[in-house]
Amino acid sequence: MGRIVAIDYGRKRTGLAVTDTLQLISNGLETVPSGTVVQFLKEYIRKEPVDLFVVGLPKQMNNEVSENMQYVKAFVTHLQRTIPEIPVEYYDERFTSVLAHKAMLEGGLKKKKRQDKGLVDEISATIILQSYMESKKFQNNKL
């Protein structure tokens, strides 16, 4: 079984998270400049089997997509053209930054470390991935 990679795409930085090979646990992978994320992923899949990319879907509180969706959509189009063999799914990313800050605070990180936007992006990707996996498990249990 291959890994699942979550992508919290931003205009400047992109947070990445990945599952273990059994797709049970999500862990932060890296935060990379957004212009290099596809190249990073190409190199990553040469070393590790990947079954799926999960991309954070930027939504507003009223359930409509946010203005950042145009950038996410362009990124996903580029990703699918460059790595067509791996499917892409969107997953709602609302509140992930808030949850990431909360996790950092509860984890006892110092203020300077909590201000590291790259770390926030990586933790957000981890939250997206963990939420995605839990939703799939819930859906499978309902069947």
Side-chain angles (χ1 to χ4, degrees), residues 13 101 104 109-120:
R13 291 172 314 279
H101 280 289
M104 293 167 78
L109 289 179
K110 303 283 186 221
K111 184 176 183 181
K112 184 131 179 107
K113 197 72 173 159
R114 291 193 313 260
Q115 292 173 336
D116 179 351
K117 292 180 180 174
L119 182 58
V120 172

Side-chain angles (χ1 to χ4, degrees), residues 49-65:
V50 173
D51 289 344
L52 177 68
F53 293 126
V54 176
V55 178
L57 176 63
K59 285 188 162 187
Q60 299 176 28
M61 293 300 294
N62 64 2
N63 211 30
E64 292 181 13
V65 294

Side-chain angles (χ1 to χ4, degrees), residues 7 13 16 23 41 44 48 55 69 87 91 104 118 133:
I7 303 166
R13 291 172 314 279
L16 301 169
Q23 298 181 1
L41 291 170
Y44 184 80
E48 297 288 341
V55 178
M69 185 61 183
Y91 191 78
M104 293 167 78
M133 292 189 316

Side-chain angles (χ1 to χ4, degrees), residues 3-114:
R3 299 174 188 273
I4 300 172
V5 175
I7 303 166
D8 183 24
Y9 185 81
R11 290 173 65 185
K12 293 180 184 177
R13 291 172 314 279
T14 298
L16 301 169
V18 66
T19 64
D20 60 323
T21 54
L22 296 175
Q23 298 181 1
L24 298 173
I25 300 169
S26 62
N27 290 297
L29 178 61
E30 188 83 42
T31 299
V32 297
S34 293
T36 65
V37 69
V38 174
Q39 185 59 39
F40 178 91
L41 291 170
K42 280 175 59 176
E43 292 170 17
Y44 184 80
I45 65 171
R46 277 191 219 124
K47 297 179 262 176
E48 297 288 341
V50 173
D51 289 344
L52 177 68
F53 293 126
V54 176
V55 178
L57 176 63
K59 285 188 162 187
Q60 299 176 28
M61 293 300 294
N62 64 2
N63 211 30
E64 292 181 13
V65 294
S66 75
E67 63 184 50
N68 198 43
M69 185 61 183
Q70 65 184 339
Y71 305 107
V72 173
K73 203 174 215 175
F75 161 73
V76 168
T77 299
H78 177 57
L79 178 64
Q80 289 175 318
R81 285 185 181 145
T82 308
I83 310 173
E85 66 275 14
I86 299 176
V88 176
E89 285 188 36
Y90 286 103
Y91 191 78
D92 189 348
E93 69 174 23
R94 280 180 289 188
F95 307 114
T96 55
S97 292
V98 172
L99 291 171
H101 280 289
K102 185 176 180 186
M104 293 167 78
L105 192 61
E106 290 175 357
L109 289 179
K110 303 283 186 221
K111 184 176 183 181
K112 184 131 179 107
K113 197 72 173 159
R114 291 193 313 260

